[in-house]
Amino acid sequence: MSDGSLIERIRAFEAASRVLDPAPAERAALREPVLRYADAFLDALASAPAFVGGSDGGAGLLDEVIGEEGRGLDELLALLAEQVDRPGLNPASGGHLGYIPGGGLYLSALGDYLADVTNRYPGVSYASPGAARLEHQLVRWMADLAGYPATAGGTLLSGGSLANLSAMAAARDGRGVRARDIERTVVYLSAQTHHSVAKGLRVLGLGECVVRLVPLDPEWRMQADALAGMVEHDRRQGLRPWLVVASAGTTDTGAVDPLDALADVAAEHELWFHVDGAYGAFFLLTERGPELLRGIERSDSVVMDPHKTLFLPYGLGAVVARDRRALELAFRELGPYMQDAVVEAGAEPWPADLSPELTRPFRGLRLWLPLMAYGVAPFRAALEEKLALARYFHEEVQRLGFEAGPPPDLSVVTYRYVPQAMRSGGVAPAPEVVNRINRRILEDVNRDGRVFISSTTLNGVFTLRFACVTHRTHLETVDRLLASLAASAAAVERERALPAAAGR
Ligand SMILES: *Cc1c(COP(=O)(O)O)cnc(C)c1O
């Protein structure tokens, strides 16, 4: 029998920690300022800057100590508004035209709220058969989108980086690549392959594989015949061609590699054919998508990022393997404390059997809720809108005197300004002068901040990028960017016309 003092201590601790489990009235008191904050944020979004520059943003947080005593929510939300939700990029804004992931569906936030409140355990079917089934169903929807057979399976991860890593682990084990083979094993990428692939290879211990960069055509697409030649050459050298990673929408230029032709090469040489569709795979929902991505159904694995082209808030990427057993080979493990949670023979594997993760958020709900509540149609329309806006921007920016890259496959356009006097027939453009002018245009647009753009370097040339991916980006947003570019280009021309600029 415990003495009374232990019971007293237990009671005291219980009372002191009670605040962690608020009663109904306390919950309402917590919810109300948070909802007010969220609504104010969303209501102001259309007129809020897409970018607030300066490197000292958030520095005020460092003065706020994490102390023993709690503080009022209003005070903390004010801190959040000033120190976190103002400085830097505002990816929730439709004016975010710089990078691929942005947006954030409100209904996903409500799904997250429910997932966090109920805290179901999706990794193990025994713990939450419903959560596991719901996630399997989402994966099946994506497998169908890719045109995969019934053998397919996959899992929901935090994003495209972990999804690519997981696909490569499946490729490794699906093809029996062992540690002692690594230095003779060859991976085929392109200079436009997303850097998460190289990172994933390193994390998997495959960083010492031979990496070949397959040449690109003038529209930044991997050349399938060049791949075939490289594989044959490597074979003759006694190397082991293993994996080709195609991009179904590169991040940099939005180009879609010729998937069907690459699938032919992969099939002939028994390469694992992985398609990184983190950005582009959901364009399969559009009218042009299936033709543009033809061959994706022949891949061994595919990655899709709902937090990009299904407009979800950050934290959801998916990997699907044509034969889910490859993912099981890579990831299935058990601990003795899991003995109650047996998988019956023939049953669907647990999500955790196909994933590097075990305990994780029930992230399926943030996708299931909007997909089921809205249906697929508005997603299709939003993606068609992005494709059309990219074509519109590609035409209009050239009307302003900018040079544009190839007509967009998807929703990224590359472009740069060449001053009038340097265009064809004029003075030959000096590369460093043109680069400087474009850097200045980027800074002008982002200093204004109503829209945010980014740049890249293509074959050594500083190039501006238009990446149109959020559900809040519409025609007015693109017109705002065009106006901002026109103003900056006009300023460039004015300054060049000044006598002081002669000789520049
Ligand atoms: C964004 C992206 C990734 C990485 O995905 P994260 O979700 O940012 O981890 C991989 N590949 C491509 C093509 C991408 O656009």
Side-chain angles (χ1 to χ4, degrees):
M1 187 75 189
S2 304
D3 64 19
S5 74
L6 179 58
I7 302 286
E8 245 169 64
R9 273 165 59 78
I10 290 171
R11 291 288 183 212
F13 287 134
E14 180 184 322
S17 62
R18 223 330 107 64
V19 64
L20 299 179
D21 188 19
E26 293 160 344
R27 285 206 301 273
L30 293 172
R31 200 161 49 226
E32 197 270 330
V34 169
L35 287 184
R36 207 168 354 101
Y37 183 93
D39 281 333
F41 178 88
L42 290 173
D43 292 346
L45 207 46
S47 55
F51 184 70
V52 177
S55 59
D56 60 344
L61 288 170
L62 305 177
D63 302 330
E64 306 294 333
V65 290
I66 300 171
E68 277 299 307
E69 299 303 321
R71 293 165 59 173
L73 215 44
D74 283 325
E75 187 191 347
L76 298 178
L77 291 173
L79 207 54
L80 193 65
E82 194 49 40
Q83 303 292 335
V84 180
D85 288 337
R86 220 183 104 69
L89 175 61
N90 183 353
S93 160
H96 165 36
L97 298 168
Y99 301 107
I100 301 282
L105 294 181
Y106 186 65
L107 200 43
S108 291
L110 298 182
D112 278 347
Y113 176 73
L114 289 180
D116 288 358
V117 167
T118 60
N119 206 23
R120 306 307 298 194
Y121 197 98
V124 174
S125 305
Y126 169 78
S128 182
R133 287 221 163 85
L134 182 148
E135 295 201 350
H136 281 316
Q137 190 196 5
L138 289 168
V139 168
R140 187 62 245 170
W141 178 71
M142 290 185 243
D144 288 342
L145 205 55
Y148 277 176
T151 51
T155 194
L156 305 181
L157 294 149
S158 61
S161 297
L162 267 192
N164 271 331
L165 178 141
S166 302
M168 290 186 290
R172 180 194 61 199
D173 295 347
R175 288 294 148 88
V177 174
R178 298 155 305 175
R180 62 174 172 275
D181 305 325
I182 288 173
E183 291 181 358
R184 293 192 308 122
T185 297
V186 194
V187 182
Y188 302 87
L189 314 176
S190 85
Q192 288 285 315
T193 305
H194 193 270
H195 72 270
S196 61
V197 170
K199 193 199 270 191
L201 286 169
R202 258 195 294 139
V203 174
L204 291 168
L206 297 166
E208 286 158 24
C209 284
V210 181
V211 173
R212 303 269 189 241
L213 296 186
V214 180
L216 299 164
D217 71 12
E219 308 201 319
W220 311 107
R221 302 188 188 112
M222 200 185 253
Q223 296 185 17
D225 50 354
L227 170 67
M230 291 167 104
V231 173
E232 280 155 21
H233 177 266
D234 288 337
R235 276 254 154 84
R236 285 196 298 275
Q237 303 290 307
L239 299 175
R240 291 185 35 160
W242 161 53
L243 166 70
V244 55
V245 178
S247 306
T250 63
T251 311
D252 210 14
T253 74
V256 177
D257 287 334
L259 304 182
D260 208 38
L262 293 170
D264 287 341
V265 181
E268 184 182 344
H269 296 282
E270 295 175 347
L271 303 177
W272 184 280
F273 181 33
H274 174 60
V275 174
D276 180 358
Y279 156 50
F282 288 116
F283 285 101
L284 283 165
L285 292 168
T286 67
E287 203 183 326
R288 287 173 58 222
E291 180 52 29
L292 192 64
L293 279 79
R294 193 159 50 81
I296 196 170
E297 73 286 354
R298 299 171 65 195
S299 62
D300 294 292
S301 53
V302 65
V303 159
M304 311 187 181
D305 259 4
H307 71 194
K308 289 177 177 166
T309 25
L310 290 181
F311 323 115
L312 261 64
Y314 297 147
L316 191 61
V319 60
V320 190
R322 153 184 222 87
D323 182 346
R324 73 174 187 224
R325 286 174 307 181
L327 282 166
E328 280 186 80
L329 273 178
F331 293 119
R332 181 133 199 259
E333 283 291 347
L334 276 180
Y337 36 79
M338 292 162 84
Q339 65 184 11
D340 304 329
V342 284
V343 184
E344 295 148 38
E348 277 207 275
W350 304 336
D353 288 341
L354 307 170
S355 166
E357 295 184 290
L358 177 59
T359 304
R360 61 167 173 82
F362 176 24
R363 43 175 84 97
L365 198 50
R366 63 199 337 255
L367 176 56
W368 186 84
L369 203 57
L371 272 183
M372 298 294 274
Y374 295 137
V376 178
F379 290 92
R380 249 185 244 288
L383 289 168
E384 295 283 10
E385 181 197 19
K386 303 310 121 177
L387 294 180
L389 285 174
R391 287 202 295 274
Y392 171 78
F393 179 79
H394 185 257
E395 283 170 20
E396 293 300 317
V397 81
Q398 293 179 80
R399 260 191 248 285
L400 296 180
F402 284 71
E403 281 179 357
D409 278 349
L410 299 175
S411 65
V412 175
V413 177
T414 54
Y415 61 104
R416 63 177 200 146
Y417 191 69
V418 178
Q420 255 159 21
M422 289 181 164
R423 284 182 221 153
S424 50
V427 190
E432 60 299 338
V433 174
V434 180
N435 285 357
R436 200 166 57 232
I437 285 169
N438 281 279
R439 197 180 302 277
R440 177 247 165 101
I441 291 175
L442 175 115
E443 285 163 6
D444 282 351
V445 171
N446 288 348
R447 196 176 322 105
D448 172 72
R450 281 175 303 164
V451 293
F452 171 78
I453 59 171
S454 69
S455 71
T456 183
T457 299
L458 293 169
N459 287 343
V461 176
F462 184 93
T463 305
L464 300 170
R465 280 175 78 244
F466 167 86
C468 175
V469 188
T470 96
H471 63 299
R472 294 193 181 103
T473 300
H474 304 299
L475 190 58
E476 298 70 47
T477 333
V478 177
D479 283 339
R480 208 178 304 147
L481 168 60
L482 288 164
S484 200
L485 290 171
S488 181
V492 166
E493 294 293 351
R494 265 199 314 279
E495 286 165 28
R496 293 184 63 77
L498 293 175
R504 263 206 277 158

